[in-house]
Amino acid sequence: MMKQLSPYKNLLLSLASLALLHPTHIAAAVVPRTADCHSHHYAGPTNPSFETGDLTGWTVVSGTAFGNASVTATSSYWGGPFSQVGKQFLWGILHDGEPAVGELRSSTFRASSVMSFLVGGGYDPVNLYVGLVRENDGTLLFSQTGTNDEALIRIIWDTSAYAGQNVYLVVVDTSTVTSWGHINLDDVRTGCDALGDGGLSFNVLGQNNQPPQTHNALSTPSLYALDPIRPQFHYSPYQGWINDPCGLIQWGGKYHLMSQFNPAAPVWGPMHWSHVESADAVHWSELPVALYPPYPNNPLDTSGRYTGSALQDKDTGALQVIFTDATDTALHPDAKPEVVSSAVSSDGINFSLYSGNPIIAAPPPNSPSGFRDPKVFWDTTDSSWKMVIGSGDNNSGKVQLYQSTRSTASQLTSWEYVGVLYEGDGSTGTMWECPNFFPIDGKWVLFYGGNGLGWYEVGTYNGTTFTSEKRGLLDAGPDSYAMQWFIDDSGRNLAITWMGNWGTSKWPSRVNGWAGTQSIMRELFIRDDGGLGNKIVDEVSLLASGAAKSLGQTNVHGTVTVGSSNTARLQASIDLVASNAPAFTIELFALSAESVSLVYTFANQSLTLDTTQAGYGQAGTWSAIIAKPADNILSLDILIDRSSLEVFAGDGTVMTATVFPRYQESTDIQIVSHGGKTVFGDIVLTPLGSAWV
Ligand SMILES: *[C@@H]1O[C@H](CO)[C@@H](O)[C@H](O)[C@H]1NC(C)=O
Ligand SMILES: *[C@@H]1O[C@H](CO)[C@@H](O)[C@H](O)[C@H]1NC(C)=O
Ligand SMILES: *[C@@H]1O[C@H](CO)[C@@H](O)[C@H](O)[C@H]1NC(C)=O
Ligand SMILES: *[C@@H]1O[C@H](CO)[C@@H](O)[C@H](O)[C@H]1NC(C)=O
Ligand SMILES: *[C@@H]1O[C@H](CO)[C@@H](O)[C@H](O)[C@H]1NC(C)=O
């Protein structure tokens, strides 16, 4: 029976049987399944991993993109290791460069119930893909494109519907672009070998394993649960791309989160605003797209509604958003590339563009490098609406300040230029994006994105000019950018950051059709050292899906396994005086083959995040010095969510990272202390469930 079904139906069957077993823990229990690998197992194509060092067994069908020179034993590129299996693999750029086109075909083999392979290279489902073709009628049964990264990712196909039939693989490159115009392939496997290595099971990845969001019986939590690298309690688009959070506000009692969004593909493109709302700041439900780009039917026109902010109109109560209207000047040469526009909604769902847009038609003087991301705030120094906008000249980033003239219109559509609120010295970038400016704990905080990083400055403000007293990084980890602040009804200063940035991020989840995650809701505060601190909002406790496991006071000497989970909160307190080890390590997403390490060194109080052994994502190390707590109790509060990791230290330091494990079993949480004991006041592990309601 299973053989008659599409892979997606197999997933549904697996889900149904698991749901019966675990009716209350669907989100935690479900993993994508594939057909029984034992039922049909035949040999795959000749030279399946290119270990001959050439194209033996493969046929160049057309073009010059592929040839013997495509096969290489090169192990790394500018972004890290290729992670091929064995020595050789097919690197689609080598034979004739990026723009070359061509098609390569494997020998014919009989389809097993499952198969897998490694893919890398450009993202272009139409022009760059590895495909499986049925020999007797030429039907393309499956295809998979790359991720705009060279590194190789394991794709699994449930081929049980075609088991026993003659098939062959094609490697297709009809892309002539000069960047990411090639595709890479390695290690084709069939049968049970396709599903794992040495007793470990590969995460089941690939666009063919993703059921459509509509026209199926699954609830959103179940749908999101099926994807093994999909965050369960962080917002991500089901399909497509997101970047900056936009329009954060508590309006009508509900928290609203909008995001820069390209629904068409998991890559940046014509910007929409996706929209979710929450009654409690941590559970989300999906709303229709809030803003559409001006030319939505032309994917080549990159004009879009860029980042902006929200406010509640004090007269009408309406929800207003003010944002950058960006125009693709290659297609519209007479337009200004970036102006400020407005839209308003009376129901919090349906937004109407202001008829008089743009509300700011041109940048102020001396802003040649950009003019974007308006963030509105209520200025307590003179009780007026003001707005900061990022800009820059060729030498330094700038924050431009505007004031609402608020004459007769009830919408805030009339603004006058005040001047430069603050200008950098160039060391944090020559164009600043996503500025936010607000009073907190007797200070004013400015933060912005520059040089691909999020920076904060804490200081004073006199109504026109900001004076900085302290500068720092908003986040000590690799994957945070475009953080947006807002103040909620209870007066808390809250923020969400995009868990990505342009400089260091990889997007392996593109193989599942999506890219981008927003952080958990964070509360901001001024740290003891005068910097800007982050902590997890209290409401995160509402995400608990089961009882917390508390280890109590624990002396770790050697290795302690705390538990096994990839959707959990780990809270630990460490007695800095009673501990006598030189360092301790928290291993996350761990098992023998891979893990993320978090190392704290007592002597210099450094906390280092190490992802060099952590699956498909960005490999690197990032460090921060954690301020010594007055009571000598270091606290760590860690959120683990399938492909997301957020580490909050008690002093307000945060490290945000994306992590994409290769294996389903990579869920161990261990604490290691060598050369002495580390004394934990407590270690608490709480399973967290789905954010989707
Ligand atoms: C690859 O090299 C082998 C051995 O020299 C040769 O027989 C074969 O024709 C070459 N294949 C292609 C596609 O050039
Ligand atoms: C959204 O608002 C506009 C303008 O008020 C209105 O014309 C339109 O019908 C509304 N759409 C929906 C779906 O409510
Ligand atoms: C900024 O640099 C660009 C390219 O170097 C140059 O064309 C432009 O005139 C410069 N603008 C200013 C304001 O210096
Ligand atoms: C604010 O400070 C700036 C810089 O010191 C100064 O030029 C400006 O006049 C001050 N504005 C007010 C309203 O005091
Ligand atoms: C802290 O000490 C450890 C162990 O000696 C060292 O590896 C690390 O680089 C140091 N970190 C900083 C920030 O000095």
Side-chain angles (χ1 to χ4, degrees), residues 462-465 467:
N462 68 2
T464 59
T465 306
T467 305

Side-chain angles (χ1 to χ4, degrees), residues 233-413:
F233 56 90
H234 288 78
Y235 171 65
S236 62
Y238 184 67
Q239 296 282 276
W241 159 276
I242 59 162
N243 53 288
D244 309 0
C246 303
L248 287 180
I249 191 171
Q250 188 177 12
W251 184 85
K254 297 273 182 67
Y255 292 89
H256 290 258
L257 164 61
M258 302 182 231
S259 300
Q260 292 284 282
F261 178 44
N262 178 17
V267 292
W268 188 89
M271 279 293 127
H272 302 56
W273 283 30
S274 71
H275 191 185
V276 291
E277 69 172 13
S278 173
D280 63 6
V282 293
H283 287 92
W284 298 106
S285 50
E286 196 155 23
L287 293 175
V289 165
L291 297 177
Y292 287 86
Y295 310 101
N297 299 321
N298 182 1
L300 298 179
D301 189 328
T302 62
S303 303
R305 315 294 182 197
Y306 285 9
T307 302
S309 53
L311 73 149
Q312 178 166 353
D313 188 294
K314 280 192 169 9
D315 295 335
T316 64
L319 174 55
Q320 186 184 354
V321 292
I322 295 181
F323 54 92
T324 299
D325 236 338
T327 303
D328 187 338
T329 50
L331 298 177
H332 311 275
D334 295 334
K336 288 261 189 274
E338 294 173 317
V339 298
V340 179
S341 290
S342 171
V344 72
S345 173
S346 55
D347 60 5
I349 298 171
N350 177 24
F351 287 81
S352 307
L353 294 171
Y354 173 57
S355 58
N357 279 339
I359 60 173
I360 299 176
N366 304 316
S367 302
S369 330
F371 178 57
R372 57 180 167 271
D373 311 330
K375 181 71 176 91
V376 175
F377 65 101
W378 179 249
D379 187 344
T380 51
T381 66
D382 62 0
S383 296
S384 71
W385 285 110
K386 292 219 175 71
M387 174 159 78
V388 284
I389 304 182
S391 81
D393 54 33
N394 287 358
N395 302 311
S396 55
K398 292 178 186 178
V399 176
Q400 305 288 356
L401 184 66
Y402 286 77
Q403 178 163 24
S404 168
T405 59
R406 199 165 180 86
S407 50
T408 50
S410 63
Q411 291 182 35
L412 299 187
T413 51

Side-chain angles (χ1 to χ4, degrees), residues 7 34 113-117 130-132 142-144 155-160 169 195 205-209:
T34 51
S113 23
V114 291
M115 68 177 293
S116 75
F117 58 91
V130 176
L132 185 69
F142 296 97
S143 69
Q144 178 66 51
I155 303 300
I156 294 180
W157 285 340
D158 182 334
T159 48
S160 57
L169 284 170
L195 297 182
L205 305 181
Q207 187 60 41
N208 294 292
N209 301 307

Side-chain angles (χ1 to χ4, degrees), residues 54-56 58-60 66-69 95 104:
D54 61 15
L55 291 181
T56 301
W58 295 75
T59 307
V60 174
F66 304 105
N68 278 332
H95 188 251
L104 186 66

Side-chain angles (χ1 to χ4, degrees), residues 582-583 599 601-608 623-625:
V599 184
T601 304
F602 288 93
N604 58 13
Q605 302 158 58
S606 76
L607 186 65
T608 299
S623 291
I625 301 297

